[in-house]
Amino acid sequence: GSTEVYGIIGNPVRHSRSPAMHNAAFAACGLNKVYVPLPALDGAAAVAAIRTLGIAGASVTIPHKETVIEQLDKVDPVAARIGAVNTIVRRGDELHGANTDWLGANQALGEALELAGAKVLLLGAGGSARAIGFGLREAGAKVILASRTPERGQELAQQLDCPWVPLEQAAEQAANALVNATSVGMAPLAEQSPLPAAALAAFPVVMDIVYSPLQTRLLREAEAAGCHCIDGLAMLLYQGAAQFTMWTNQEAPLAIMRQTLLENL
Ligand code: NDP
């Protein structure tokens, strides 16, 4: 049969690791599929192009995760609540939207603790904190949100039906897990940590979603404090694996995908 085309729509997409990861996965499974960057200034036009060209599925990244929603025939309920779609799946003549960021985060964190009933301190109120927060609520975890800008944080906390604290007070909290979804720790903030080292022993599990660098100051200090640490590769890998499964109905080849991500970080 003919090659099926997948891709990533966003602006910019030149530096995305997704093509390398998904092409390696398709090849490892012997699938006649390719995954290409699809730079797009206009999200709605990009979805129309996916329809017209018969593209079999796509990832969606910044700045189109929100705007594509109204162009799709169906959107998964959690993605709709988050208000962001990062995955488009063709089902016959229809295009369906999903969000695998929360699935990836839950899988990464869920390997270290039972999410149902767990108390999780979530740092940040941006796009990824939003997806992770709704995902944690979906899994039955109790969330405490801590972030820098009060209005933005309080608005998200209200939607998540959870308490909000200013980031400076996050160090006074204790929880079963701590998740950093701020960009603190990522270059150019690579020398910074969102929480003082002395506060980390109050969190048995610490996940940092920053992946550039992978070994953040937060994770180095959490390791020293005896916490179970999860780096940003886990969420990145598992959100991609969930996409692979939605597109192929097959289990994702995790080892090859992980290795490809590592080689391309
Ligand atoms: P956003 O820009 O949407 O949100 C950034 C958040 O970080 C905001 O809450 C912002 O605070 C906070 N922040 C930024 N600088 C500071 C600072 N100096 N002090 C305190 N808080 C700060 O980004 P995203 O949510 O898209 O991404 C966040 C991080 O997660 C990035 O490093 C990104 O690379 C990483 N990421 C990892 C993924 C993975 O799969 N591993 C997936 C997606 C993202 P405020 O609330 O005040 O605006």
Side-chain angles (χ1 to χ4, degrees):
S2 60
T3 306
E4 286 192 305
V5 178
Y6 294 76
I8 176 165
I9 62 172
N11 180 34
V13 288
R14 286 269 160 258
H15 301 290
S16 171
R17 288 119 182 131
S18 295
M21 174 175 68
H22 283 299
N23 284 319
F26 291 156
C29 296
L31 297 167
N32 189 7
K33 299 176 187 293
V34 294
Y35 183 109
V36 294
L38 300 168
L41 287 173
D42 181 333
V47 174
I50 287 171
R51 273 187 210 284
T52 308
L53 299 172
I55 288 171
S59 306
V60 184
T61 188
I62 291 163
H64 302 316
K65 286 187 184 192
E66 294 84 17
T67 48
V68 296
I69 289 184
E70 58 183 18
Q71 312 299 324
L72 300 170
D73 300 296
K74 214 166 166 188
V75 173
D76 162 87
V78 185
R81 257 177 277 154
I82 295 168
V85 156
N86 80 326
T87 308
I88 297 174
V89 186
R90 179 180 289 278
R91 301 270 184 230
D93 285 339
E94 296 195 342
L95 296 181
H96 294 186
N99 187 307
T100 64
D101 287 328
W102 72 274
L103 289 169
N106 277 11
Q107 190 174 344
L109 198 57
E111 286 181 343
L113 84 162
E114 172 66 48
L115 294 180
K119 187 169 156 184
V120 180
L121 178 63
L122 174 60
L123 309 182
S128 54
R130 191 176 169 81
I132 293 169
F134 277 100
L136 288 171
R137 299 295 284 126
E138 189 68 17
K142 289 174 244 151
V143 176
I144 303 169
L145 191 70
S147 68
R148 179 179 60 178
T149 308
E151 307 81 62
R152 193 181 190 188
Q154 284 164 355
E155 188 185 344
L156 177 57
Q158 192 174 17
Q159 292 171 4
L160 294 174
D161 192 23
C162 79
W164 177 85
V165 296
L167 196 54
E168 312 85 72
Q169 282 171 34
E172 298 156 28
Q173 309 291 320
N176 302 108
L178 170 71
V179 176
N180 177 39
T182 73
S183 33
V184 179
M186 181 178 81
L189 306 177
E191 290 315 307
Q192 296 181 33
S193 172
L195 278 200
L200 298 176
F203 307 96
V205 177
V206 174
M207 176 161 89
D208 198 339
I209 73 160
V210 169
Y211 53 79
S212 166
L214 266 186
Q215 178 68 291
T216 58
R217 177 170 172 188
L218 170 64
L219 289 184
R220 277 200 311 276
E221 293 177 346
E223 189 98 49
C227 313
H228 177 106
C229 292
I230 305 163
D231 68 28
L233 195 68
M235 174 177 166
L236 202 58
L237 171 67
Y238 291 139
Q239 66 78 25
Q243 293 185 316
F244 179 94
T245 298
M246 288 178 183
W247 292 329
T248 65
N249 297 312
Q250 293 184 29
E251 227 172 277
L254 286 174
I256 188 92
M257 292 173 83
R258 183 192 313 265
Q259 191 194 324
T260 307
L261 277 176
L262 276 172
E263 286 165 2
N264 285 277
L265 275 185

Short mmCIF file of all heavy atoms in Angstrom, two decimals, residues 148 167 180 182-196 208 210 213 215-221:
data_model
loop_
_atom_site.label_atom_id
_atom_site.label_comp_id
_atom_site.label_asym_id
_atom_site.label_seq_id
_atom_site.Cartn_x
_atom_site.Cartn_y
_atom_site.Cartn_z
N ARG A 148 3.78 31.74 40.39
CA ARG A 148 4.33 33.08 40.59
C ARG A 148 3.28 34.18 40.48
O ARG A 148 3.15 35.00 41.36
CB ARG A 148 5.45 33.30 39.57
CG ARG A 148 6.12 34.66 39.64
CD ARG A 148 7.22 34.75 38.60
NE ARG A 148 6.72 34.57 37.24
CZ ARG A 148 7.47 34.63 36.16
NH1 ARG A 148 8.78 34.85 36.28
NH2 ARG A 148 6.94 34.47 34.97
N LEU A 167 4.25 30.90 44.99
CA LEU A 167 5.43 30.05 44.86
C LEU A 167 6.36 30.16 46.08
O LEU A 167 6.95 29.16 46.50
CB LEU A 167 6.18 30.42 43.57
CG LEU A 167 7.21 29.44 43.03
CD1 LEU A 167 6.61 28.04 42.84
CD2 LEU A 167 7.77 29.94 41.70
N ASN A 180 7.42 19.86 39.03
CA ASN A 180 7.78 21.18 38.51
C ASN A 180 7.32 21.31 37.08
O ASN A 180 7.85 20.65 36.18
CB ASN A 180 9.28 21.43 38.58
CG ASN A 180 9.64 22.78 37.96
OD1 ASN A 180 8.91 23.76 38.15
ND2 ASN A 180 10.74 22.82 37.22
N THR A 182 7.04 24.59 35.92
CA THR A 182 7.49 25.93 35.54
C THR A 182 8.67 25.75 34.59
O THR A 182 9.19 24.65 34.42
CB THR A 182 7.96 26.78 36.74
OG1 THR A 182 9.22 26.29 37.20
CG2 THR A 182 6.96 26.76 37.89
N SER A 183 9.12 26.85 33.98
CA SER A 183 10.31 26.74 33.15
C SER A 183 11.58 27.05 33.93
O SER A 183 12.66 27.15 33.35
CB SER A 183 10.17 27.62 31.91
OG SER A 183 9.43 28.78 32.17
N VAL A 184 11.47 27.15 35.26
CA VAL A 184 12.65 27.35 36.10
C VAL A 184 13.46 26.05 36.11
O VAL A 184 12.93 24.99 36.43
CB VAL A 184 12.26 27.74 37.54
CG1 VAL A 184 13.50 27.91 38.40
CG2 VAL A 184 11.43 29.01 37.55
N GLY A 185 14.73 26.16 35.72
CA GLY A 185 15.57 24.97 35.59
C GLY A 185 15.94 24.72 34.14
O GLY A 185 16.91 24.05 33.83
N MET A 186 15.13 25.29 33.25
CA MET A 186 15.41 25.19 31.82
C MET A 186 16.32 26.35 31.42
O MET A 186 16.15 27.46 31.93
CB MET A 186 14.09 25.29 31.05
CG MET A 186 14.23 25.17 29.55
SD MET A 186 12.62 25.25 28.72
CE MET A 186 12.34 27.01 28.68
N ALA A 187 17.24 26.11 30.53
CA ALA A 187 18.07 27.20 30.02
C ALA A 187 17.15 28.30 29.49
O ALA A 187 16.16 27.97 28.84
CB ALA A 187 18.97 26.69 28.89
N PRO A 188 17.34 29.59 29.80
CA PRO A 188 18.49 30.19 30.50
C PRO A 188 18.36 30.23 32.03
O PRO A 188 19.15 30.90 32.67
CB PRO A 188 18.49 31.61 29.93
CG PRO A 188 17.03 31.92 29.72
CD PRO A 188 16.38 30.62 29.37
N LEU A 189 17.38 29.54 32.60
CA LEU A 189 17.23 29.52 34.06
C LEU A 189 17.80 28.23 34.63
O LEU A 189 17.35 27.72 35.65
CB LEU A 189 15.74 29.66 34.46
CG LEU A 189 14.98 30.87 33.88
CD1 LEU A 189 13.50 30.83 34.30
CD2 LEU A 189 15.62 32.17 34.35
N ALA A 190 18.81 27.66 33.93
CA ALA A 190 19.30 26.33 34.27
C ALA A 190 20.00 26.26 35.64
O ALA A 190 20.09 25.19 36.23
CB ALA A 190 20.25 25.83 33.18
N GLU A 191 20.48 27.42 36.14
CA GLU A 191 21.15 27.39 37.44
C GLU A 191 20.16 27.54 38.59
O GLU A 191 20.54 27.46 39.76
CB GLU A 191 22.22 28.49 37.51
CG GLU A 191 23.42 28.22 36.61
CD GLU A 191 23.90 26.76 36.71
OE1 GLU A 191 24.16 26.29 37.84
OE2 GLU A 191 23.99 26.10 35.66
N GLN A 192 18.88 27.73 38.27
CA GLN A 192 17.88 27.98 39.31
C GLN A 192 17.06 26.75 39.61
O GLN A 192 16.94 25.83 38.81
CB GLN A 192 16.94 29.12 38.87
CG GLN A 192 17.64 30.45 38.70
CD GLN A 192 16.66 31.54 38.29
OE1 GLN A 192 15.50 31.53 38.67
NE2 GLN A 192 17.13 32.47 37.48
N SER A 193 16.48 26.76 40.82
CA SER A 193 15.53 25.72 41.19
C SER A 193 14.27 26.40 41.72
O SER A 193 14.36 27.45 42.36
CB SER A 193 16.13 24.83 42.28
OG SER A 193 15.14 23.94 42.76
N PRO A 194 13.10 25.86 41.47
CA PRO A 194 11.87 26.52 41.93
C PRO A 194 11.67 26.41 43.44
O PRO A 194 10.91 27.19 44.00
CB PRO A 194 10.77 25.78 41.17
CG PRO A 194 11.34 24.45 40.85
CD PRO A 194 12.81 24.67 40.65
N LEU A 195 12.34 25.46 44.10
CA LEU A 195 12.18 25.29 45.56
C LEU A 195 13.55 25.18 46.22
O LEU A 195 14.46 24.57 45.66
CB LEU A 195 11.42 23.99 45.88
CG LEU A 195 9.90 23.95 45.82
CD1 LEU A 195 9.39 22.77 46.62
CD2 LEU A 195 9.28 25.23 46.35
N PRO A 196 13.70 25.72 47.44
CA PRO A 196 14.97 25.55 48.14
C PRO A 196 15.24 24.08 48.47
O PRO A 196 14.29 23.32 48.75
CB PRO A 196 14.78 26.36 49.43
CG PRO A 196 13.37 26.82 49.47
CD PRO A 196 12.73 26.54 48.16
N ASP A 208 10.41 16.52 37.53
CA ASP A 208 10.68 17.78 36.84
C ASP A 208 10.38 17.55 35.37
O ASP A 208 10.95 16.64 34.77
CB ASP A 208 12.14 18.20 37.03
CG ASP A 208 12.36 19.68 36.72
OD1 ASP A 208 11.52 20.27 36.00
OD2 ASP A 208 13.36 20.24 37.21
N VAL A 210 11.00 19.71 33.00
CA VAL A 210 12.04 20.35 32.18
C VAL A 210 12.96 19.25 31.61
O VAL A 210 13.34 18.33 32.33
CB VAL A 210 12.87 21.34 33.04
CG1 VAL A 210 14.11 21.80 32.30
CG2 VAL A 210 12.00 22.54 33.43
N PRO A 213 18.23 21.34 30.53
CA PRO A 213 18.87 20.02 30.60
C PRO A 213 17.98 18.99 31.31
O PRO A 213 17.01 19.36 31.98
CB PRO A 213 20.11 20.29 31.45
CG PRO A 213 19.65 21.35 32.41
CD PRO A 213 18.69 22.21 31.64
N GLN A 215 19.15 16.83 33.66
CA GLN A 215 19.55 16.81 35.07
C GLN A 215 19.46 18.24 35.59
O GLN A 215 20.43 19.00 35.54
CB GLN A 215 20.97 16.24 35.20
CG GLN A 215 21.53 16.21 36.60
CD GLN A 215 20.81 15.23 37.51
OE1 GLN A 215 19.65 15.41 37.88
NE2 GLN A 215 21.50 14.18 37.90
N THR A 216 18.30 18.63 36.08
CA THR A 216 18.11 19.99 36.56
C THR A 216 18.66 20.13 37.98
O THR A 216 18.90 19.14 38.67
CB THR A 216 16.62 20.36 36.58
OG1 THR A 216 15.95 19.41 37.42
CG2 THR A 216 16.02 20.33 35.19
N ARG A 217 18.83 21.37 38.39
CA ARG A 217 19.26 21.60 39.77
C ARG A 217 18.24 21.01 40.76
O ARG A 217 18.63 20.40 41.76
CB ARG A 217 19.41 23.10 40.00
CG ARG A 217 19.78 23.42 41.43
CD ARG A 217 20.17 24.87 41.59
NE ARG A 217 20.33 25.18 43.01
CZ ARG A 217 20.53 26.40 43.48
NH1 ARG A 217 20.59 27.43 42.64
NH2 ARG A 217 20.67 26.60 44.76
N LEU A 218 16.95 21.18 40.46
CA LEU A 218 15.91 20.61 41.33
C LEU A 218 16.12 19.10 41.50
O LEU A 218 16.09 18.58 42.62
CB LEU A 218 14.52 20.88 40.74
CG LEU A 218 13.35 20.14 41.42
CD1 LEU A 218 13.17 20.59 42.87
CD2 LEU A 218 12.05 20.33 40.64
N LEU A 219 16.35 18.39 40.40
CA LEU A 219 16.50 16.93 40.50
C LEU A 219 17.80 16.53 41.20
O LEU A 219 17.83 15.55 41.94
CB LEU A 219 16.41 16.28 39.12
CG LEU A 219 15.02 16.28 38.47
CD1 LEU A 219 15.05 15.51 37.15
CD2 LEU A 219 13.95 15.69 39.39
N ARG A 220 18.86 17.30 40.97
CA ARG A 220 20.13 17.02 41.67
C ARG A 220 19.93 17.15 43.18
O ARG A 220 20.35 16.31 43.96
CB ARG A 220 21.22 18.01 41.25
CG ARG A 220 21.95 17.67 39.97
CD ARG A 220 23.32 18.39 39.88
NE ARG A 220 23.26 19.81 40.16
CZ ARG A 220 22.94 20.74 39.25
NH1 ARG A 220 22.63 20.40 38.01
NH2 ARG A 220 22.93 22.02 39.58
N GLU A 221 19.24 18.23 43.59
CA GLU A 221 19.04 18.45 45.02
C GLU A 221 18.02 17.47 45.60
O GLU A 221 18.14 17.06 46.76
CB GLU A 221 18.64 19.92 45.24
CG GLU A 221 19.80 20.86 44.89
CD GLU A 221 19.49 22.35 45.01
OE1 GLU A 221 18.30 22.72 45.11
OE2 GLU A 221 20.46 23.15 45.00
#
